[in-house]
Amino acid sequence: MRILHTSDWHLGQHFMGKTRQAEHQAFCRWLIEQVREREVDAVLVAGDVFDTGAPPSYAREQYNQFIVELRDAGASLVVLGGNHDSVAMLGESRTLLAQLDTRVVPAVGVNLDEQLLVLKRRSGEPGAILCAIPFIRPRDVLQSQAGQSAADKQLSLQQAIQDHYQQLFALAEQRRAELGGGMPIVATGHLTTVGASASESVREIYVGALEAFPTSAFPAADYIALGHIHRPQKVGGLEHIRYCGSPIPLSFDEARQQKEVLLVELDSIGLHKVEALAVPRFQPLYSLRGSLTELPALFAEVARDGSPELPVWVEVQISTDDYLNDLQARLAALCEGLPVEVLRIRRERGAAQAGLQREARETLDELNPQEVFDKRLESEELEQELRQRLQGLHREVLAELQERQA
């Protein structure tokens, strides 16, 4: 059984005023080629197929076109809802898409059987049992209780999510026995695990007060396909618990990452092999750091990866203690004639002048709500226990707002 593990496509994302439509289109074409060449049986998208709950029409069209082309390539598709996805929007077409060998699990439902899927090989024979678990919202698995502390809520939610995994895994074992045994069990998830390394494009909206799900709480599945963290990585060094990461860089701090999808091979014994397939870079993206005297050479170097039709997108971090009110114009002059577009300018904090610190502060569009709150707390003299409690309460408020918007 060959499964392609992907996640966090974020179709419809706008990046510093730029659309990612062409990149996503190129990625979808490349992925279809991999499916054909490697005779993949099923493709998993472990959450965040869209960037927002109301994606633009071209993003929905890309999604639908990929589904049609994947079916023609001979593979089935499973789409799991993520924290960016709208449950209602993903769910509205699930019955229709089922006719195209695409199964959509937008959210945790009342009936566990809806999350238990049998993945078939190209021959039509059952190849694996899938515990299809999307992003879990607190209201899906937990009823709030009056008087609970933030720590109690976190423990309750962690236990509820663990119970959900274990119950579904027990059903999977039962289904495997009914089918005659000899089939691997795969599970999915869209969450943060203990020790996972995130990036600035990952919105730190936790599952309620749950900051990270412990690896030991996962069931004994043969492979666990995770989404939400954009950097590809093994969890706890384990071969069978993986984040595949996003297929394109979604922030400048991901610019140096080699993006990948994971080709997972399983047999009747269990996990056979996991192979990382490097995703080509469809849009040159760089984060440059230096002084005004150093930047011309840096621009010239990265310009070699660009063209007039496909210019390099650049973030510039200026390391200087001098405040320059014409900085944007100076950088534009340095890029003149080069296939380079500066999308963001940041001044590094200097220790020499207090005034520089004020001018170098981040803008709100660079920070998520949790970071804004944390920076506000930094300006207050608070005991550590009170600081942590306030941070926990703020996360709960963010989670509640997210639930209302879902």
Side-chain angles (χ1 to χ4, degrees):
M1 182 78 189
R2 289 188 179 134
I3 296 172
L4 261 184
H5 169 200
T6 75
S7 75
D8 296 273
W9 290 14
H10 289 266
L11 297 178
Q13 190 210 33
H14 277 264
F15 181 71
M16 308 289 170
K18 298 290 186 179
T19 178
R20 317 302 296 274
Q21 182 177 2
E23 292 170 83
H24 279 127
Q25 194 65 42
F27 165 69
C28 288
R29 286 196 300 267
W30 175 84
L31 195 63
I32 294 293
E33 291 174 5
Q34 303 308 305
V35 170
R36 292 184 188 278
E37 291 176 7
R38 300 171 187 276
E39 298 185 335
V40 172
D41 298 297
V43 175
L44 301 182
V45 183
D48 286 351
V49 65
F50 293 107
D51 191 57
T52 68
S57 58
Y58 74 79
R60 295 188 186 209
E61 186 177 351
Q62 283 183 323
Y63 173 67
N64 293 329
Q65 185 64 34
F66 175 80
I67 290 171
V68 172
E69 292 180 3
L70 183 66
R71 184 175 185 269
D72 291 341
S76 62
L77 176 65
V78 179
V79 177
L80 291 308
N83 60 293
H84 283 243
D85 295 311
S86 163
V87 174
M89 196 217 70
L90 276 187
E92 67 187 8
S93 58
R94 60 187 302 188
T95 303
L96 176 62
L97 295 181
Q99 304 303 312
L100 297 172
D101 293 330
T102 293
R103 284 170 286 184
V104 181
V105 182
V108 172
V110 177
N111 189 354
L112 274 179
D113 287 336
E114 294 179 356
Q115 292 177 249
L116 191 63
L117 308 178
V118 176
L119 300 181
K120 294 183 179 180
R121 300 188 183 96
R122 285 173 170 254
S123 62
E125 299 175 351
I129 306 292
L130 179 67
C131 299
I133 301 177
F135 175 68
I136 298 179
R137 293 167 173 82
R139 67 185 181 200
D140 295 334
V141 293
L142 193 65
Q143 291 184 347
S144 60
Q145 300 179 17
Q148 275 190 319
S149 66
D152 289 339
K153 288 182 179 179
Q154 178 166 332
L155 287 174
S156 297
L157 183 57
Q158 176 183 311
Q159 187 60 53
I161 294 175
Q162 181 176 350
D163 290 345
H164 185 81
Y165 268 95
Q166 296 297 340
Q167 290 168 16
L168 192 55
F169 183 72
L171 283 180
E173 290 183 306
Q174 181 179 335
R175 178 68 60 85
R176 178 170 60 182
E178 292 170 355
L179 293 172
M183 274 192 294
I185 296 177
V186 178
T188 66
H190 191 87
L191 39 66
T192 302
T193 55
V194 174
S197 179
S199 62
E200 69 176 19
S201 65
V202 177
R203 294 182 191 172
E204 294 299 342
I205 297 178
Y206 301 103
V207 186
L210 185 65
E211 295 186 21
F213 189 68
T215 308
S216 59
F218 284 117
D222 295 289
Y223 183 76
I224 300 178
L226 299 177
H228 183 57
I229 302 299
H230 296 169
R231 180 179 285 110
Q233 57 196 281
K234 299 176 184 178
V235 176
L238 298 172
E239 187 74 13
H240 74 293
I241 306 180
R242 299 272 199 129
Y243 286 101
C244 60
S246 59
I248 68 172
L250 296 167
S251 62
F252 276 113
D253 73 336
E254 296 178 22
R256 295 183 180 277
Q257 291 178 17
Q258 174 58 66
K259 296 300 186 177
E260 59 191 43
V261 298
L262 299 176
L263 180 61
V264 182
E265 295 188 16
L266 304 113
D267 54 27
S268 58
I269 300 174
L271 181 64
H272 177 65
K273 183 175 69 172
V274 179
E275 180 183 356
L277 307 182
V279 180
R281 180 63 57 88
F282 304 110
Q283 167 64 55
L285 192 72
Y286 286 94
S287 180
L288 303 180
R289 177 182 177 182
S291 65
L292 284 174
T293 57
E294 295 169 326
L295 283 174
L298 295 176
F299 283 148
E301 182 179 352
V302 301
R304 290 179 292 188
D305 289 341
S307 66
E309 298 77 23
L310 191 63
V312 179
W313 291 349
V314 171
E315 171 195 58
V316 176
Q317 299 183 59
I318 298 293
S319 55
T320 177
D321 281 340
D322 296 324
Y323 173 68
L324 302 170
N325 58 7
D326 62 343
L327 182 57
Q328 189 166 356
R330 291 191 181 210
L331 292 178
L334 292 177
C335 294
E336 190 173 357
L338 297 175
V340 173
E341 284 188 56
V342 177
L343 303 190
R344 181 163 71 174
I345 303 170
R346 306 177 75 170
R347 292 186 178 91
E348 291 187 347
R349 294 180 182 272
Q353 301 176 17
L356 175 63
Q357 292 184 1
R358 287 194 299 271
E359 295 298 337
R361 64 183 180 273
E362 292 120 320
T363 57
L364 287 177
D365 64 347
E366 297 173 14
L367 302 173
N368 62 43
Q370 187 67 49
E371 289 171 333
V372 173
F373 187 73
D374 289 343
K375 288 181 180 296
R376 178 64 182 86
L377 288 182
E378 289 175 6
S379 65
E380 300 290 339
E381 295 184 4
L382 301 173
E383 294 182 359
Q384 185 64 19
E385 183 176 350
L386 177 58
R387 185 185 302 273
Q388 291 176 347
R389 174 164 173 74
L390 289 172
Q391 289 172 326
L393 291 171
H394 186 253
R395 282 197 296 272
E396 291 179 32
V397 172
L398 290 180
E400 184 177 345
L401 289 173
Q402 184 196 22
E403 286 184 52
R404 292 178 182 177
Q405 294 170 358

